[in-house]
């Protein structure tokens, strides 16, 4: 936790609520610490279409608009962090 506390101002994490491989709650537990007192910037997203750990942005045409918005959200979080 000491290392994450030192790095916290430089970190931004995105976890997916529906991910069953790397669960969002575990991302929060690791990056914010046991007492949730580390100031890591963790965002939990939940997309309005079927997704999984391997395919968070499926290529099915019927989800195209929703996937584009989800990807834009993810990229905006990254761009904001680096700006």
């Amino acid at each position: 936790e000491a290392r994450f506390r030192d790095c916290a101002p430089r970190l931004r994490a995105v976890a997916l609520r529906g991910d069953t491989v790397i669960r969002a709650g575990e991302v929060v537990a690791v990056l914010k610490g046991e007492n949730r007192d580390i100031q890591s910037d963790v965002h939990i997203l939940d997309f309005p279409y079927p997704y999984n750990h391997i395919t968070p942005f499926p290529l099915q045409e019927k989800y195209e608009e929703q996937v584009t918005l989800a990807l834009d959200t993810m990229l905006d979080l990254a761009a904001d962090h680096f700006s």
Side-chain angles (χ1 to χ4, degrees):
E1 286 192 10
R3 185 67 180 136
F4 281 120
R5 195 174 312 284
D6 291 341
C7 294
R10 299 188 309 266
L11 296 177
R12 175 169 284 178
V14 175
L16 300 178
R17 187 170 307 285
D19 193 334
T20 59
V21 176
I22 302 176
R23 298 183 182 274
E26 296 304 317
V27 173
V28 171
V30 168
L31 294 179
K32 290 197 168 281
E34 185 176 345
N35 296 320
R36 305 298 189 265
D37 61 349
I38 299 173
Q39 299 301 310
S40 297
D41 189 11
V42 180
H43 297 264
I44 299 174
L45 302 180
D46 191 23
F47 303 142
Y49 54 81
Y51 65 89
N52 60 48
H53 181 79
I54 302 297
T55 312
F57 306 109
L59 298 176
Q60 295 156 309
E61 191 173 325
K62 65 183 176 180
Y63 302 121
E64 182 178 359
E65 186 175 329
Q66 294 170 316
V67 168
T68 298
L69 291 173
L71 183 57
D72 285 348
T73 298
M74 190 90 102
L75 293 174
D76 284 346
L77 285 169
D80 288 346
H81 180 69
F82 289 113
S83 64

